[in-house]
Amino acid sequence: MSIDVEDSVNDFVKQHREGSVAFIVVDNPPVNALRAEVRAGLLDAFSAARDDKAVAAIVLMCAGRTFVAGADITEFGKPPMPPPLSEVIDTIEAMDKPTVAAVHGTALGGGLELALSCRYRVATPSAKLGLPEIKLGLMPGAGGTQRLPRLIGVEKALGMIISGDPVPAQSALESGLVDEVVEGDLGAAAAAFARKLVAEKRMREPVRDMTEKLAEMRSNPAKFDELAAAHLKRSRGLAAPAAAVDAVRSSFEASFEEGLKRERAKFLELLAGDQSKAQRHVFFAEREAAKVADLPKDAKPRQIKRAAVIGAGTMGGGIAMCFANAGIPVKIVEMSKEALDRGLATIAKNYRNTAARGGLTAEEVDRRIGLIEGELSLEAVSDADIVIEAVFEEMELKKRVFADLDRLAKNDAVLATNTSYLDVNAIAQATNRPGSVVGMHFFSPANVMKLLEVVRGAATAPDVLATAIDVGRRIGKAPAVVGVCHGFVGNRMLRVRGIEAERLLLEGALPQDVDGALTSFGFPMGPFAMGDLAGLDVGWRVRKAEGRRAEIADRLCEMGRFGQKTGKGFYVYEAGSRTPKPDPEVERLIVETSARLGVKREAISKEDILERLVYPMINEGARILEEKVAQRPGDIDVIWIYGYGWPVWRGGPMYYADQVGLAAISARLREFAQKTGDKTLEPAPLLAQLLALLSWTAAADEPHDRQLPAVTVSAGRASMTWSPLTTRGR
Ligand code: 3H9
C-alpha cells in the first residue's frame, strides 16, 4: 500500500495532509497494536487536526499489513499507562469534522472500537472486522458493546461479540458496519470519500447518538434473552460470554454513558480474573509453539502448491479437506476403488453437512470438492510438493509406503507421516532422504481439530521443518514442534492419564465418576466417554503392541464392547443416541475385578480423582521438558488445549501446575507413588530441581533469574513459574 508518510507525531503515528484532507497513520508493526505511544500519538494528531483550520476532513489508516488489530495485549496486567483508549475514542468521536477510518487487513478489538469512533468507515474487499476479545477471556472494553449494537443492531452485534469471529468487508457493508468497500489504493479511495463528504456537507451523527437499531430489542427484550440463552449454552465454564451479554443488554436498557460504565467495570473484572490471564498465556504460547529456537535464520519454507495424502480413511480424508479449505489442490491416494469412493463420499457428505448448517455456500462446497482428486496409484504423488502419509498405524506398512514415496516423489518434496505413536526416525530411514521426512500429527477429526504436532526427526532438514510449520499455519492449524518419542507429547501424557483412570476404577470409582471429575473441571468429555467415542479397540491394539494390559478396558474389548460403534463400551448407548448411560453390567465387572485383584474399593472424592488424573500428566510433562521432546511448557499447554479439550480458561496443564504450586503437586505425587507402588509416579527430577531452587531463592530473598535445562525460574514472586513466558508477565 502506498502511504506517503511525511510528519511524525511520534515513532508510531505519522500524519500528512493532501489538500484539506489530513491523514493520520498508525505505524506500529507487526499488527499496529494500540500501545501507549500509539494512543498518545493519536490523541495529539486528532487534537491538532481538530484545531487546524486548513483541515476539513480526517482519514485514519494504518501502515503495514493491517489496520489496528487491538489493544496491546502485552500491556495487560501491568500498571495502566496514559492516555486510556477511551480518551482517544471520545476525542475522535467529538470531532466536528468528518472522520473516515480506512480499514485493510484486520480491524480487531480496540482497533474496531477506534474505527467506530469515526463517523464513517471504508474498507478494502479483503478486510475483516471483529471484536475477538472473548477469545482472550475478555469482552470489548472501549465502547464496543455499546457502539456496535447502535450501528448494526443488537442481534448482529451480540453474535459478533460472543463468537469473536471477524466478518468480511462485504457482510460488514451489508450490516452497515462499513459505508463503502473500495477497490484500488485505499488511501486515495478514502480521501475521495472524505472529499465527497466535505463537498456535499454531509456529517452523520456519532455512533453513540444512534438509537434506531436499538428499537427492536427495546420493545421486545424477551427476544434478547432468547438469543443470549442460545449463545451462553455453548460457553461452559467461561466467565466472559455472560459478562459480554450483560454489557450488550445495557446498550438498549440503559443510557449510553451508563452502558459504557457497566462495560468498563465488567471489562476490568475480567482483565484481573484468572480466566483471562490463562487465555492470554495461551494466545502467546500458541505463537511461540510454532517457533524453533535452533532453526537457522536462512531455513525458508519450501513452496507448497500441490499436496497429496496417502490413505482415504477418516484421517486422510480430514487432512485432504484441510488442504482444500486453504485452496491447495490435493490428491488423495487409496489402494482400492471401493475405499477411495467411500473416502470421497465421506468428504462430500462432511462438506454438505457444513453447508446445510449455513457454514458454506453451495459454490464454495463445489470449489473445495473440486480441489480434491482421488487416485488409485501411488505414482500420482509425482507432482506433489508435500505428501502426507495417513495409512494404518503399523511400522512395516509405513516403511513400505515411505520406500515407495522415495522412488516416486519429487526430489524436493516434503514427506510427512501422520503417525500418532511410531518412531519417525525409523520411518525416515526407509528412504534415502531422511532429511525430507517430518511428522505431521493431525488430530481427529482432522478438518476440525486445531492442533498439529510437527514431529522433528533426528535428520529432519531445517527447511523441511520450516515447511511443515508454515503449511500448518496456512491450513489453519496451531503447529507445535515436538521431538521423537513414543506418542510424542500429547499421546504420551494421555497414556499416563489413561493408566490412572483405570486404577481409579479398581480403587472405587465408576466411569461416570472419573468422567464427571474432568467435565466439571471443564473438559468436554472424560477418558471413558472419549474411549467409547474413538473405539476401545484402538487403545486395545496400542496396549497389545506395548505388551501391557488394562484389566477392565481389555475385558470390555474381549466382550466385544468397542464403544459407541457397538452400542456398548464403558457405557451403554440407546439405539441412535450418543449419550453415554451408566451400565450396571460394567459396574459389576469393575467390582468383580477389584475383588479378583484384591484391591479394596473405597469412596474417592471428585477432587482426589482430578488430582490423580492431572498431576501424573504434569509429571510426565516435566519429563518431556527434561528430555527436550517439547521446547517449552507453553507448547505442552497448546497441545492439550487444541488437541485434547483441556479447558482454555485453565491455560493448559503446565500453566495449571504453576497455579496449584509445584510443591503441592510433588507431595501428592509421592503419595500416589506410595499408594500404588508405581515408581513412575514419583516426582520427576525437574520438579525436584525446581523445588530445590525455589527454596534456595526464597532464602536468598532477592529477585534474580536462574536458568535450568528447560525452564527459567524467577524468584521474588508469589508463585513459582517454570515458563519463560510467565516470567515475562504474560
Ligand atoms: C482489546 O483490544 C481490548 C479492547 O477492547 C479494550 C482495551 C481497553 N497485542 O498472530 P500473529 C503479536 S484486546 C500485542 O502471528 P497473524 C503476536 O504475538 C485485543 N501483540 O500474526 C505476534 O508476535 P510474535 C483484541 C500482538 O498475521 C505478532 O503480533 N485483539 C497482538 O497470523 C504477529 O501475530 C485481538 O485479540 C496484540 N493485540 O495474525 C487480536 N496481536 O511475532 C489478536 C498480535 O512475537 N491478534 N500480536 O510472535 C490476532 O488475532 C492476530 O495476531 C492477527 C494477525 C489476526 C491480528
Side-chain angles (χ1 to χ4, degrees):
M1 186 156 314
S2 69
I3 297 166
D4 183 13
V5 177
E6 287 172 9
D7 281 345
S8 286
V9 179
N10 61 23
D11 286 347
F12 304 96
V13 179
K14 327 276 178 203
Q15 61 185 4
H16 69 280
R17 192 154 61 75
E18 286 177 17
S20 63
V21 178
F23 281 81
I24 296 175
V25 182
V26 177
D27 187 6
N28 176 26
V31 299
N32 288 313
L34 288 163
R35 59 189 286 170
E37 294 87 339
V38 171
R39 302 194 299 270
L42 286 172
L43 200 54
D44 287 350
F46 272 95
S47 305
R50 179 191 55 209
D51 300 338
D52 186 343
K53 289 211 165 44
V55 172
I58 300 110
V59 170
L60 166 65
M61 60 189 300
C62 292
R65 68 191 213 216
T66 179
F67 193 79
V68 173
D72 186 333
I73 306 167
T74 61
E75 284 185 355
F76 291 164
K78 298 179 187 158
M81 292 207 288
L85 182 57
S86 55
E87 190 183 337
V88 180
I89 284 176
D90 288 346
T91 304
I92 299 175
E93 197 169 46
M95 302 275 295
D96 57 3
K97 302 173 183 180
T99 43
V100 181
V103 175
H104 75 290
T106 45
L108 299 178
L112 181 57
E113 292 173 307
L114 188 68
L116 290 173
S117 72
C118 292
R119 303 289 170 110
Y120 301 89
R121 282 148 296 280
V122 299
T124 61
S126 60
K128 289 188 173 162
L129 302 93
L131 292 171
E133 287 88 342
I134 212 95
K135 297 184 180 176
L136 296 167
L138 296 169
M139 53 177 251
T145 64
Q146 306 305 301
R147 286 191 182 86
L148 194 61
R150 283 171 166 77
L151 191 62
I152 67 169
V154 178
E155 181 170 354
K156 285 204 176 92
L158 184 68
M160 280 179 71
I161 291 168
I162 298 290
S163 74
D165 294 333
V167 295
Q170 189 55 38
S171 42
L173 180 69
E174 284 153 22
S175 68
L177 178 51
V178 303
D179 301 287
E180 221 169 80
V181 174
V182 295
E183 306 275 351
D185 184 86
L186 178 61
F193 185 89
R195 273 189 213 102
K196 201 157 152 229
L197 294 173
V198 175
E200 292 173 4
K201 297 201 168 46
R202 269 204 284 153
M203 180 67 166
R204 177 198 280 159
E205 65 193 330
V207 176
R208 68 158 66 203
D209 294 338
M210 298 177 177
T211 53
E212 202 184 312
K213 295 211 167 150
L214 301 178
E216 188 197 357
M217 291 301 174
R218 279 187 172 153
S219 63
N220 185 10
K223 180 170 179 196
F224 182 83
D225 293 335
E226 242 171 67
L227 289 170
H231 282 299
L232 293 181
K233 226 170 51 196
R234 290 188 289 273
S235 66
R236 235 160 20 101
L238 293 163
V245 160
D246 284 351
V248 174
R249 185 184 277 111
S250 301
S251 71
F252 63 90
E253 272 186 4
S255 68
F256 180 77
E257 282 70 23
E258 176 60 24
L260 271 190
K261 226 162 65 193
R262 291 186 198 168
E263 177 198 79
R264 186 82 197 143
K266 286 189 184 296
F267 173 80
L268 290 177
E269 200 180 304
L270 291 172
L271 188 65
D274 291 339
Q275 292 196 358
S276 176
K277 277 184 205 148
Q279 287 179 252
R280 272 140 46 202
H281 156 72
V282 176
F283 176 85
F284 289 111
E286 179 184 337
R287 280 150 185 84
E288 292 268 338
K291 293 181 186 146
V292 184
D294 62 345
L295 201 64
K297 285 251 174 318
D298 58 357
K300 294 276 172 291
R302 296 183 187 173
Q303 272 223 343
I304 301 296
K305 292 198 179 133
R306 319 184 74 78
V309 176
I310 317 297
T314 315
M315 258 302 170
I319 297 169
M321 288 174 77
C322 296
F323 281 92
N325 294 348
I328 303 171
V330 55
K331 287 181 178 164
I332 180 160
V333 186
E334 249 305 342
M335 304 273 284
S336 80
K337 173 140 180 23
E338 220 187 326
L340 181 63
D341 290 347
R342 205 176 326 121
L344 292 174
T346 306
I347 291 173
K349 194 181 87 197
N350 286 342
Y351 275 132
R352 302 238 153 77
N353 285 347
T354 311
R357 287 195 305 268
L360 282 177
T361 61
E363 299 80 68
E364 191 50 33
V365 167
D366 290 343
R367 201 181 66 80
R368 293 183 191 194
I369 291 178
L371 286 170
I372 303 176
E373 210 178 313
E375 296 282 355
L376 288 168
S377 159
L378 207 55
E379 270 151 37
V381 305
S382 62
D383 66 348
D385 304 306
I386 185 166
V387 186
I388 300 177
E389 163 278 309
V391 302
F392 199 67
E393 191 75 347
E394 202 183 275
M395 184 52 103
E396 287 317 307
L397 175 63
K398 300 227 182 223
K399 281 185 175 168
R400 272 202 307 278
V401 170
F402 272 78
D404 287 343
L405 291 179
D406 193 20
R407 262 189 314 109
L408 298 169
K410 287 200 300 191
N411 279 343
D412 60 349
V414 169
L415 308 181
T417 169
N418 176 50
T419 181
S420 42
Y421 282 94
L422 299 176
D423 182 349
V424 173
N425 295 331
I427 295 173
Q429 286 310 323
T431 72
N432 292 307
R433 39 172 142 169
S436 295
V437 178
V438 64
M440 288 177 76
H441 180 204
F442 290 79
F443 289 72
S444 191
N447 54 314
V448 177
M449 298 297 284
K450 207 172 157 187
L451 177 63
L452 177 69
E453 275 184 333
V454 174
V455 189
R456 181 184 196 175
T460 305
D463 65 330
V464 169
L465 185 63
T467 310
I469 297 167
D470 187 59
V471 163
R473 290 200 75 169
R474 267 177 77 194
I475 62 175
K477 302 294 171 198
V481 178
V482 301
V484 176
C485 68
H486 188 66
F488 316 120
V489 170
N491 281 345
R492 177 167 160 182
M493 288 166 70
L494 184 70
R495 176 178 172 276
V496 170
R497 190 182 77 175
I499 291 171
E500 293 315 308
E502 166 97 10
R503 278 194 179 128
L504 285 164
L505 293 186
L506 293 176
E507 290 172 16
L510 292 174
Q512 55 272 27
D513 303 326
V514 174
D515 285 352
L518 283 185
T519 51
S520 303
F521 184 72
F523 275 90
M525 222 181 254
F528 296 120
M530 193 172 111
D532 275 2
L533 176 69
L536 297 180
D537 48 325
V538 180
W540 194 27
R541 226 176 5 248
V542 173
R543 284 192 299 277
K544 277 197 228 164
E546 291 174 2
R548 71 187 167 93
R549 260 190 84 72
E551 290 299 331
I552 293 161
D554 287 2
R555 185 73 202 110
L556 290 174
C557 289
E558 285 153 15
M559 292 158 72
R561 300 183 63 129
F562 290 159
Q564 286 192 19
K565 59 185 163 191
T566 56
K568 286 177 176 182
F570 277 102
Y571 298 95
V572 65
Y573 299 85
E574 281 162 14
S577 161
R578 288 171 166 271
T579 310
K581 292 243 158 65
D583 186 348
E585 199 184 330
V586 174
E587 184 171 342
R588 233 179 356 258
L589 170 73
I590 293 171
V591 173
E592 279 167 20
T593 311
S594 301
R596 179 165 58 79
L597 299 176
V599 184
K600 186 169 164 286
R601 294 183 68 76
E602 57 193 8
I604 312 177
S605 73
K606 218 176 213 179
E607 292 71 32
D608 283 348
I609 291 176
L610 186 74
E611 291 178 1
R612 198 53 195 281
L613 295 172
V614 168
Y615 293 179
M617 285 171 55
I618 292 166
N619 207 26
E620 196 63 22
R623 291 197 184 99
I624 284 170
L625 285 173
E626 250 164 29
E627 293 167 23
K628 296 196 190 305
V629 166
Q631 299 178 88
R632 338 168 169 82
D635 297 8
I636 300 178
D637 292 334
V638 168
I639 287 170
W640 266 80
I641 285 165
Y642 291 131
Y644 299 85
W646 184 286
V648 64
W649 49 273
R650 291 199 192 264
M654 307 318 270
Y655 179 88
Y656 180 71
D658 271 347
Q659 314 311 305
V660 175
L662 302 190
I665 292 173
S666 297
R668 288 293 277 153
L669 283 168
R670 272 191 292 274
E671 284 171 32
F672 301 157
Q674 198 174 26
K675 182 179 169 78
T676 60
D678 180 351
K679 289 218 163 18
T680 65
L681 290 174
E682 289 287 351
L686 180 62
L687 285 176
Q689 270 176 299
L690 283 166
L691 285 173
L693 191 60
L694 182 69
S695 56
W696 181 76
T697 51
D701 199 27
E702 57 183 52
H704 50 263
D705 289 330
R706 271 286 174 281
Q707 200 70 37
L708 274 183
V711 291
T712 304
V713 176
S714 190
R717 297 175 163 273
S719 78
M720 178 158 74
T721 58
W722 57 1
S723 158
L725 280 174
T726 36
T727 59
R728 291 215 303 265
R730 285 170 169 178

